[in-house]
Amino acid sequence: MPEISLTTLVLLCLAALVAGWIDAVVGGGGLLLLPALLLGLPNVQAAHILGTNKAVAIVGTTGAAITYARKAPVQIKTAIRIGLAALAGSMGGAFFAAGISSAVLRPVIMVVLLAVAAFVMLRPSFGAKAEGEERAPLTRARIVTAIVVVGGGIGFYDGLFGPGTGTFLVLALTAVLHLDLVTASATAKIVNVCTNAGALAMFAYQGSVYWQLAGVMAVFNLIGGTVGARMALSKGAEFVRGVLLVVVLSLVAKLAFDQWA
């Protein structure tokens, strides 16, 4: 592992804390954590950045998933089935990630963010549940679509690149399974644990994880994830949507500045 100054370590731990909170509320904590690792470890290969990111993220995501599972109306069986497909997809994506250069990550993240921002802004009622509205029943077709597209497709993306996976899971689960944003966030956390596990297993096999650094950052990520899940449960879908827009637009501005300034 490269030498890291105390200042850099503190900043990375703060980034892990905030990323854990963001990931629990709206997903996409990697959109903060991954750029932070890229800036803090500028001369490190992309595979090690991605692997360390997964080792940190899985801890906070697990904490958030447990918090949600205790209080949110999550169908655990459906989430696990999607998660198993996501695990397989993320392992496949991680296998190909070793050949990815750090130089291509920032533009990819920017495109991802812009797409998410445009979608959420154009659909202000997306993921909102009207008072007294009953959730649509889950049909077999929608469950199969969620397993293949949400699980396999986004799982592969998570292993290959990673940033924004939680956000994409929330959006896709809301669209495919007709969930409100809070329930989608809860379900996404369970699926995201599986994608992180699959990708992390492959990165660990390839020796692309800085375990000591990840261990320290993971403590802060866990705290952020647990607090974020509790806030999302108490404040509801409008709070989740508001945080989603603020996070996405802020990160677009920051990455655009880093890319062209």
Side-chain angles (χ1 to χ4, degrees):
M1 188 176 78
E3 292 187 6
I4 302 174
S5 68
L6 179 59
T7 300
T8 299
L9 179 60
V10 170
L11 292 175
L12 287 175
C13 287
L14 289 175
L17 177 71
V18 178
W21 186 89
I22 293 171
D23 201 49
V25 177
V26 295
L31 292 169
L32 172 62
L33 190 55
L34 188 59
L37 285 167
L38 286 169
L39 292 172
L41 305 173
N43 299 316
V44 170
Q45 292 182 344
H48 284 79
I49 296 291
L50 294 168
T52 303
N53 173 61
K54 288 302 171 194
V56 175
I58 193 172
V59 177
T61 302
T62 301
I66 292 172
T67 301
Y68 274 123
R70 289 174 175 173
K71 299 182 179 180
V74 183
Q75 293 199 10
I76 304 294
K77 183 178 178 181
T78 300
I80 291 176
R81 289 162 71 183
I82 299 171
L84 290 175
L87 186 150
S90 66
M91 290 185 71
F95 178 79
F96 291 101
I100 299 296
S101 169
S102 299
V104 307
L105 290 178
R106 187 176 289 131
V108 170
I109 295 171
M110 289 179 62
V111 172
V112 167
L113 282 168
L114 287 170
V116 170
F119 182 85
V120 175
M121 291 179 71
L122 291 172
R123 295 288 301 274
S125 63
F126 183 77
K129 184 177 179 180
E131 189 70 24
E133 178 186 352
E134 294 294 330
R135 190 174 65 188
L138 295 180
T139 64
R140 181 179 180 83
R142 281 199 279 136
I143 292 175
V144 171
T145 301
I147 292 173
V148 175
V149 178
V150 181
I154 297 180
F156 182 85
Y157 167 82
D158 190 35
L160 185 63
F161 292 116
T165 295
T167 305
F168 283 133
L169 285 172
V170 172
L171 293 171
L173 288 168
T174 303
V176 175
L177 298 182
H178 298 178
L179 306 178
D180 64 86
L181 281 172
V182 173
T183 305
S185 292
T187 306
K189 292 288 96 47
I190 297 173
V191 177
N192 212 178
V193 170
C194 296
T195 66
N196 284 337
L200 179 59
M202 185 59 67
F203 284 124
Y205 174 76
Q206 295 171 341
S208 300
V209 181
Y210 293 133
W211 292 107
Q212 291 179 321
L213 175 61
V216 175
M217 294 174 65
V219 174
F220 292 86
N221 195 251
L222 175 62
I223 295 171
T226 303
V227 172
R230 290 177 178 174
M231 288 185 68
L233 286 166
S234 64
K235 295 183 179 293
E238 280 302 313
F239 170 74
V240 174
R241 183 178 181 274
V243 172
L244 176 62
L245 281 174
V246 171
V247 168
V248 168
L249 293 175
S250 298
L251 286 170
V252 167
K254 180 187 181 303
L255 288 172
F257 178 83
D258 291 342
Q259 182 74 12
W260 291 299

